[in-house]
Structure formats: C-alpha cells, structure tokens
C-alpha cells in the first residue's frame, strides 16, 4: 500500500475525520472505503446505459434526448426545493 499526500482545506479534512470517526473508522480507512465505493463517470455512464436497456426490454421505456433533458431539469428543480434551508 502506498501513501499519498492530499492537500485540502482544513475544514474539509476535519469534516471527513468527523464522519470517519462517527463510523468507527480512521480517516485513512474511510477514504479508502470511499474510493472503493464511488463510481467513476465512465462507470456511472455504463450503469445508466444498462438501466436504460433493461427498462426498454422490460416495458419499452425509451425517452428521447429532449424528454431525458426535461426529466433531468425536473429532478434538479425538485432537489433544489428540498435543499433550501
């Protein structure tokens, strides 16, 4: 296992350390777990394509690019509503 130095703001480090501690992990173990569980953009795109193919095969769901964009906009709008203080 190799070590790496990562420069991040002190506040970010403290927040990550607190999250790790709450889960009973060291910061190093938490970051390693995070890296193992997060998807790269390519992996997310591959999963999305597989999901779309499964939906097409299951019920014929095949939105156009414009429909997908409208759905993304609606999701963004709804997420913004619940994130407001």
């Amino acid at each position: 296992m190799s070590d790496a130095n990562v420069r991040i703001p002190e506040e970010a480090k403290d927040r990550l350390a607190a999250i790790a501690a709450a889960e009973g992990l060291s910061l190093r173990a938490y970051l390693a777990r995070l890296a193992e569980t997060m998807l790269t953009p390519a992996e997310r795109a591959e999963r999305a394509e597989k999901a779309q193919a499964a939906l097409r095969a299951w019920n014929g769901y095949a939105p156009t690019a414009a429909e997908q964009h409208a759905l993304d906009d609606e999701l963004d709008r709804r997420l913004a509503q619940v994130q407001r203080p």
Side-chain angles (χ1 to χ4, degrees):
M1 180 182 317
S2 65
D3 285 336
N5 291 321
V6 179
R7 298 181 68 88
I8 61 173
E10 189 72 24
E11 298 82 22
K13 181 193 131 322
D14 292 345
R15 180 173 172 78
L16 289 169
I19 294 167
E23 295 188 25
L25 298 169
S26 67
L27 180 54
R28 173 188 231 147
Y30 179 76
L31 291 173
R33 186 179 75 180
L34 187 64
E36 291 169 3
T37 59
M38 297 295 294
L39 299 175
T40 66
E43 290 167 334
R44 283 195 304 275
E46 181 182 353
R47 284 193 182 186
E49 181 53 41
K50 286 180 180 180
Q52 285 180 336
L55 286 170
R56 265 191 309 276
W58 177 56
N59 66 4
Y61 180 73
T64 65
E67 290 169 328
Q68 285 181 355
H69 184 71
L71 290 168
D72 287 343
D73 287 346
E74 178 64 12
L75 179 59
D76 289 342
R77 184 187 68 76
R78 290 183 185 201
L79 287 172
Q81 283 179 330
V82 298
Q83 292 175 352
R84 290 186 191 138

